[in-house]
Amino acid sequence: MPVWKIHGDGHTVAPGEVVKPEERLNWPATFAIGAQHIVAMFGATFLVPIITGFPVSTTLLFSGLGTLLFLVITRNRLPSYLGSSFAFLAPITAINAGQSLETGQQIAQALVGVLVVGLLLAGIGFLVQAVGSGWIDKLMPPVVAGSIVALIGFNLAPAAWNNFNLDPVLATITLSATILCSVLFRGFLGRISIFLGVIVGYLVGVFTGKVDFQPIADAAWVGLPEFHLAAVTDPEAWKFVPMFLPIVLVLIAENIGHVRGVATMANDPSINKHTGRALIADGLATTLAGGFGGSATTTYGENIGVMAATRVYSTAAYWVAGFAAILLAFSPKIGMIFNTVPAGVLGGVTTALYGLIGVIGIKIWVDNRVDFSRPVNQYTVAVSFVIAVGGFAMKWEGFELGAIVIGTFAALLVYHLGNAIARARKTGADDGGPIPAVGPLGGDPE
């Protein structure tokens, strides 16, 4: 078990100071902060298996195990919780025509895609650890990275409508509660508005008789999670793998953003040196989950919010949260509670959630001041978005490429090929870099 230095008096954090990853407060305070991290990750981490049909308890188990693995691989220097990744929702549900998976065979087939993505991400992590991350910035400049992240969210819009339409009234209540909580509460509560929206919707479902408590009553308090093995020998499963591959780019962007964000907030630039290790750790955690039935993992922004609010970046709190998640995973009754969430609640919360995934991509453009007066940038986004929202697909001889794969390929091709042509012809249509704070926004060269 790692050993942390006590920060200050072990009770408080002085104004202007932060508790660094290698430090901790006293254990009661550390356990309290660890509990906050559990609450922060809870709603989003459970939503993924509820939407996809994966076992809830199994997802929680590998979320906790993945977090501990992440801390070990990053040498206890990078505070992070690995929760369920929403980037996998589209390809997983595509296996069952946009709906939650219904059979063990479908889950096993989806796990192959999760497994492959995890291995690829780990491999890229080893490469980054050896040569740095500069090549990623060249492959995925802000306009491309933002497009890929956003198109995954917007591609899920029809799935949100399908759930919403099952119970429009309850869905509207849930969506309204989610939005209201985000603007009504300050700090930590505002950051978990999706979780609070689910709670409000669930309670309304209880009072209107839309929640069946019998499965909860029948479930045991203690028991093993439900495991599934990836169907690596099933040829049909490998046909779905191409739909998963673009997610590697999203996970790279999420992890790099997480590392840089923590390094900035903790005022510790040395944290950036662990970028490669973060990618390796998340890749191996996703591989582990994919091998045995859990949802894929990623670093969680909700938990960054907790650190920003408390100014405590101690990895000790994440060890607490990881072990607690593992313990909770061995209670089938807790998992069954989430399985009783009404479809209307899912419809309301996913309407906001899928849109927010898209907004994360747009935020990448804003943060990097992407110049949308340049035709290359315009067409990179325009083409990839219409492909994603329209659900474009290509099929031949039993093989299919979905909208996310096609949209990702289109974004990369339009950007890089368009830039090459524009610069060779000196038309001024290429990406000229971030727009200046003051001055012209591009256009034809003088």
Side-chain angles (χ1 to χ4, degrees):
M1 187 72 174
V3 177
W4 297 267
K5 296 182 294 184
I6 298 294
H7 175 86
D9 62 3
H11 295 277
T12 58
V13 184
E17 293 187 359
V18 298
V19 179
K20 293 185 176 295
E22 66 273 15
E23 299 177 328
R24 67 170 175 85
L25 298 177
N26 60 46
W27 283 114
T30 297
F31 275 93
I33 294 170
Q36 288 189 67
H37 283 300
I38 294 171
V39 173
M41 69 83 181
F42 222 71
T45 293
F46 272 116
L47 268 180
V48 172
I50 292 172
I51 294 170
T52 60
F54 274 36
V56 173
S57 296
T58 314
T59 292
L60 186 57
L61 171 64
F62 286 106
S63 173
L65 289 174
T67 297
L68 301 187
L69 179 64
F70 186 95
L71 294 172
V72 170
I73 292 176
T74 57
R75 297 180 176 177
N76 213 42
R77 290 298 309 278
L78 182 55
S80 182
Y81 190 89
L82 295 190
S84 303
S85 172
F86 287 95
F88 287 80
L89 292 178
I92 289 176
T93 55
I95 293 175
N96 192 32
Q99 303 300 315
S100 299
L101 305 184
E102 299 173 347
T103 66
Q105 181 184 14
Q106 289 178 336
I107 292 174
Q109 290 174 339
L111 289 174
V112 175
V114 175
L115 191 69
V116 170
V117 169
L119 291 172
L120 284 175
L121 183 62
I124 291 171
F126 282 111
L127 182 60
V128 169
Q129 192 68 16
V131 303
S133 61
W135 63 276
I136 294 177
D137 297 328
K138 293 180 180 178
L139 174 66
M140 285 198 310
V143 66
V144 175
S147 297
I148 294 171
V149 173
L151 68 84
I152 287 177
F154 295 143
N155 175 253
L156 289 163
W161 168 242
N162 289 337
N163 278 324
F164 196 101
N165 201 33
L166 292 174
D167 192 339
V169 174
L170 185 55
T172 300
I173 293 172
T174 303
L175 177 59
S176 300
T178 300
I179 298 171
L180 183 61
C181 290
S182 71
V183 297
L184 182 64
F185 298 119
R186 296 185 180 92
F188 174 66
L189 287 178
R191 293 189 181 97
I192 60 170
S193 59
I194 289 178
F195 182 44
L196 297 178
V198 171
I199 292 177
V200 171
Y202 190 86
L203 291 176
V204 172
V206 170
F207 287 117
T208 55
K210 297 177 180 178
V211 177
D212 181 8
F213 287 104
Q214 192 58 47
I216 300 175
D218 293 340
W221 279 105
V222 179
L224 289 174
E226 177 186 352
F227 294 104
H228 294 272
L229 298 179
V232 293
T233 59
D234 181 359
E236 191 70 22
W238 289 94
K239 295 180 181 179
F240 300 116
V241 169
M243 296 190 298
F244 288 81
L245 298 182
I247 299 172
V248 175
L249 303 179
V250 178
L251 296 180
I252 291 172
E254 287 180 341
N255 276 277
I256 290 178
H258 177 91
V259 173
R260 291 175 179 173
V262 172
T264 299
M265 291 188 296
N267 194 26
D268 185 0
S270 67
I271 289 177
N272 286 316
K273 297 178 181 178
H274 297 280
T275 299
R277 290 182 175 274
L279 294 170
I280 294 169
D282 190 11
L284 293 180
T286 294
T287 301
L288 181 64
F292 298 98
S295 297
T297 62
T298 189
T299 50
Y300 254 32
E302 289 87 343
N303 296 90
I304 290 183
V306 173
M307 292 189 288
T310 61
R311 290 179 289 129
V312 176
Y313 299 88
S314 171
T315 52
Y318 285 98
W319 282 92
V320 172
F323 277 118
I326 293 170
L327 290 176
L328 289 173
F330 288 92
S331 176
K333 193 175 289 290
I334 291 176
M336 190 54 66
I337 291 174
F338 288 89
N339 282 331
T340 61
V341 174
V345 174
L346 293 181
V349 76
T350 53
T351 297
L353 181 63
Y354 297 164
L356 288 174
I357 296 173
V359 170
I360 292 172
I362 294 172
K363 185 176 183 297
I364 292 175
W365 301 336
V366 174
D367 291 345
N368 291 277
R369 307 203 312 275
V370 173
D371 184 354
F372 279 110
S373 71
R374 303 282 184 150
V376 163
N377 292 342
Q378 293 171 0
Y379 282 103
T380 297
V381 176
V383 174
S384 62
F385 271 28
V386 169
I387 290 172
V389 176
F392 285 32
M394 298 173 63
K395 300 179 181 179
W396 62 92
E397 298 180 1
F399 189 76
E400 178 176 346
L401 294 180
I404 292 178
V405 179
I406 300 172
T408 297
F409 180 75
L412 290 166
L413 181 64
V414 170
Y415 181 85
H416 290 291
L417 183 59
N419 259 332
I421 295 173
R423 288 168 183 169
R425 294 285 299 159
K426 298 181 180 179
T427 60
D430 60 307
D431 182 2
I435 59 174
V438 178
L441 299 181
D444 292 334
E446 297 180 358

